[in-house]
Amino acid sequence: MRRNSRIVGTGSYLPPRRVTNVELAAELAALGVQTSDEWIVERTGIQARHFAAADVCSSDLALHAARQALQAADLAATDIDLIIVATSTPDMVFPSTACILQNKLGAHGCPAFDVQAVCSGFIYALSVADAMIKAGAASKALVVGAEVFSRLLDFKDRSTCVLFGDGAGAVVLQASKAPGILASDLHADGKHVGLLCVPGHVSGGEVLGRPLLTMDGQAVFKLAVGVLDAAARAVLERAGKLAADIDWLIPHQANRRIMQSTARKLKLPMDKVIVTVDQHGNTSAASIPLALDAGVRSGRVKTGELLLLEGVGGGFTWGAVLLNL
Ligand code: UT7
């Protein structure tokens, strides 16, 4: 019988400092940068985001989310035989945030590595864990998206600094007889590297280049709307399902208008879309597992339902995963 993989627990964590648009606008005004709650809500749907304290790293956020997911799965950290962390804001240049998380969890020996696909990172990580489980290389995987994107923001650039927040989400993916992950679809097109990037690197003890987020928002918006629809249709076709079969669309949380457009193309009403961008902002690789966990913990997303997860981001990267919870 074909080996499958199923999500058996979810968890998430947001750092305690919540910053509303009004508070952020006041802080930015002090820097001479003009924005408003009205503009941010109208153009993005974002009302607030969470920012981590200066001494808190991605692995700290990941640890909280991972512990919650393990608890939901009724597993101990030592039961886990694979750890993948999706992040673009690692604690260090190396070793991986996954290794740092493994040590904090006290689970030693299993393979642990990071996946770097920016806002598509969780979709990439989940697909890799699924493939490893199906190949028999792991049976209980911890898959985490964790970010401190606030560290990368240029607070003089109003077109980007109002969009992002910090947080982490996690799932435990376990080998199963019953189907869980039905299909995944991953893509990248490196010709768009410059559209969304942090063009800095470490060399000879110095940071070279500009280690702050830069984005051509309109170009990203247009590309995102097209590729997300294609990825959604690819996983539906691969799994022999129709858009009408989807119980929940759980997209990357970048902009409410992108989510509305994706839902409209699939003819899904917005009440079948989990939206957390209003309270979380864009948390990059953490946004999908954060939204999934919010859906599960609120009782809306239930075991057995058909979920379409999809992400898009820097690289340019994009992808989708269709699964039965
Ligand atoms: O997570 C990875 C994927 N990322 C995304 O999916 C982001 C995709 N892009 C977007 O979400 C949108 O393009 C943005 C939210 C980034 C921008 O929205 P937009 O509707 O595309 O606005 P725009 O860039 O066309 O700017 C419109 C106006 C400009 O003013 P002028 O030139 O018309 O006078 C901007 O200067 O809005 C101005 N503006 C702002 N005004 C107040 C830009 N940012 C702000 C701001 N507050 N924070």
Side-chain angles (χ1 to χ4, degrees):
M1 189 192 285
R2 193 187 140 112
R3 193 172 149 101
N4 286 297
S5 80
R6 253 194 73 218
I7 291 177
V8 293
T10 67
S12 64
Y13 181 75
L14 292 162
R17 187 175 164 229
R18 179 175 182 271
V19 181
T20 64
N21 290 345
V22 172
E23 288 162 341
L24 184 60
E27 284 174 28
L28 295 178
L31 300 173
V33 176
Q34 299 309 313
T35 188
S36 66
D37 178 48
E38 292 71 30
W39 190 94
I40 302 170
V41 171
E42 191 195 313
R43 305 311 296 165
T44 72
I46 297 167
Q47 296 168 23
R49 75 288 292 141
H50 290 247
F51 286 150
D55 59 346
V56 169
C57 299
S58 286
S59 69
D60 298 313
L61 306 182
L63 180 63
H64 287 286
R67 283 192 174 137
Q68 241 189 33
L70 286 165
Q71 193 177 30
D74 203 16
L75 291 172
T78 46
D79 295 326
I80 292 298
D81 57 11
L82 171 66
I83 299 175
I84 308 181
V85 174
T87 187
S88 297
T89 48
D91 292 19
M92 301 183 189
V93 172
F94 69 77
S96 69
T97 303
C99 284
I100 297 168
L101 173 64
Q102 189 205 50
N103 186 45
K104 288 182 176 174
L105 283 168
H108 303 280
C110 72
F113 58 91
D114 287 1
V115 162
Q116 218 285 36
V118 200
C119 302
S120 313
F122 183 76
I123 296 292
Y124 267 63
L126 191 61
S127 303
V128 171
D130 171 54
M132 287 181 71
I133 288 177
K134 284 178 177 155
S139 345
K140 294 184 182 75
L142 180 63
V143 185
V144 185
E147 301 280 16
V148 282
F149 246 61
S150 58
R151 309 278 153 80
L152 302 176
L153 299 178
D154 175 358
F155 285 97
K156 292 247 160 114
D157 176 7
R158 68 178 182 173
S159 70
T160 55
C161 72
V162 301
L163 305 175
F164 295 89
D166 303 335
V171 302
V172 176
L173 192 70
Q174 188 169 323
S176 73
K177 285 189 187 139
I181 294 192
L182 304 176
S184 61
D185 185 58
L186 299 181
H187 296 276
D189 188 345
K191 77 169 178 265
H192 298 300
V193 163
L195 286 188
L196 174 49
C197 57
V198 177
H201 66 277
V202 176
S203 176
E206 285 178 41
V207 177
L208 302 186
R210 189 171 180 271
L212 294 171
L213 187 146
T214 126
M215 177 169 76
D216 179 342
Q218 281 195 4
V220 170
F221 193 107
K222 279 187 204 133
L223 266 173
V225 167
V227 297
L228 287 175
D229 188 52
R233 289 182 197 284
V235 287
L236 286 167
E237 194 183 320
R238 226 164 273 166
K241 301 278 184 190
L242 301 171
D245 298 329
I246 296 168
D247 292 303
W248 293 102
L249 172 63
I250 307 184
H252 170 48
Q253 308 283 317
N255 186 319
R256 196 184 168 88
R257 288 186 292 138
I258 296 178
M259 290 185 251
Q260 284 167 334
S261 161
T262 312
R264 203 178 309 120
K265 287 184 179 203
L266 291 171
K267 298 195 168 53
L268 290 175
M270 276 309 279
D271 59 12
K272 285 198 167 194
V273 185
I274 299 290
V275 177
T276 50
V277 71
D278 54 340
Q279 297 305 318
H280 300 176
N282 180 346
T283 57
S284 190
S287 90
I288 295 170
L290 264 164
L292 170 62
D293 188 54
V296 168
R297 280 175 199 273
S298 67
R300 285 172 294 165
V301 177
K302 297 179 200 70
T303 304
E305 288 186 323
L306 186 68
L307 314 186
L308 174 63
L309 316 185
E310 54 175 22
V312 61
F316 211 68
T317 56
W318 67 97
V321 171
L322 190 71
L323 63 94
N324 272 125
L325 193 63

